[in-house]
Amino acid sequence: MSEPKTVMPLISFENGVAQNWNDLRATLNGVEVTTISSKVDAQSMAALKKDMKQVSDLIKKSVKQNVKDYEQELIERNGGLFAVKDTADSIIEDITEEQNTWNVGRLKQLQPVLQKEIDERNESYQLKTPLTIKADWLKISNFTATGKPTGALTKLLNLEFVQAKALESEPPKLTEVQEVKKQLNMSSRKFGTISKMTIFTPVKISNKCFLKSLNN
């Protein structure tokens, strides 16, 4: 059998002031949070918690709805004011479109300038794999009003090319198999002189001792 659902009073607003909320306050009178020491206590507190959440949610929902209704009323009563807002928003969109168009055109003008800077460095550093334009380099903020690279861009390009040259100068990393072969070769070179040393077999050792005794 399901628990009886608590009926919450309706809240209305008049001139921004809430009405019919005293019934909600009445539901809080006499409420006492007790220590849970049994299953019955646990069920009682769970039911009370549910009622308090309904009270809180009802107030939030009512206020939110009133704000929405009031906003709609403001729009309807102040059509001229919001028409001005719409016009301002439209102007913003037009300016944004013009800015985007200008930015695209400006970047097309700056691209050859940047390409020249890169080509000069590629020739100077003699990279095996020449660097190409990166998105972070081709930005309007990286150039002066007259279209010259800023000091920050020049420094960035120099660092990029120095790093690229350093990476190309590093010896290639060996694969795991190549590393094992390298270790084996080093070991064979280290112990290769053994073949040149005189190796005494038991027979040679005994003969050498016999000859020594004859000489004595």
Side-chain angles (χ1 to χ4, degrees), residues 83-202:
V84 172
K85 176 185 177 300
D86 291 341
T87 302
D89 290 341
S90 178
I91 292 173
I92 291 173
E93 291 178 0
D94 291 343
I95 293 174
T96 300
E97 185 177 351
E98 287 297 322
Q99 288 175 324
N100 291 338
T101 301
W102 184 86
N103 288 340
V104 171
R106 181 61 172 163
L107 289 176
K108 286 183 179 179
Q109 293 175 350
L110 296 174
Q111 185 170 348
V113 178
L114 177 59
Q115 187 62 58
K116 181 181 177 182
E117 295 287 327
I118 294 174
D119 290 342
E120 290 176 353
R121 286 170 174 79
N122 277 325
E123 183 177 355
S124 175
Y125 283 87
Q126 294 294 305
L127 295 177
K128 297 176 183 176
T129 305
L131 296 186
T132 57
I133 292 179
K134 295 182 180 180
D136 288 343
W137 302 348
L138 188 58
K139 293 181 178 179
I140 293 177
S141 58
N142 285 336
F143 298 85
T144 66
T146 57
K148 296 180 180 180
T150 62
L153 176 60
T154 299
K155 182 178 179 180
L156 175 61
L157 291 176
N158 290 338
L159 289 174
E160 290 275 2
F161 276 84
V162 168
Q163 182 180 18
K165 187 65 176 179
L167 290 175
E168 285 191 352
S169 301
E170 290 182 356
K173 293 184 179 180
L174 299 178
T175 65
E176 187 175 351
V177 174
Q178 290 173 329
E179 187 65 35
V180 172
K181 288 183 178 179
K182 178 182 177 182
Q183 295 298 327
L184 290 174
N185 290 334
M186 290 177 62
S187 298
S188 63
R189 286 197 298 270
K190 182 177 179 181
F191 299 102
T193 54
I194 293 177
S195 60
K196 298 179 182 179
M197 296 172 61
T198 301
I199 300 177
F200 293 96
T201 65

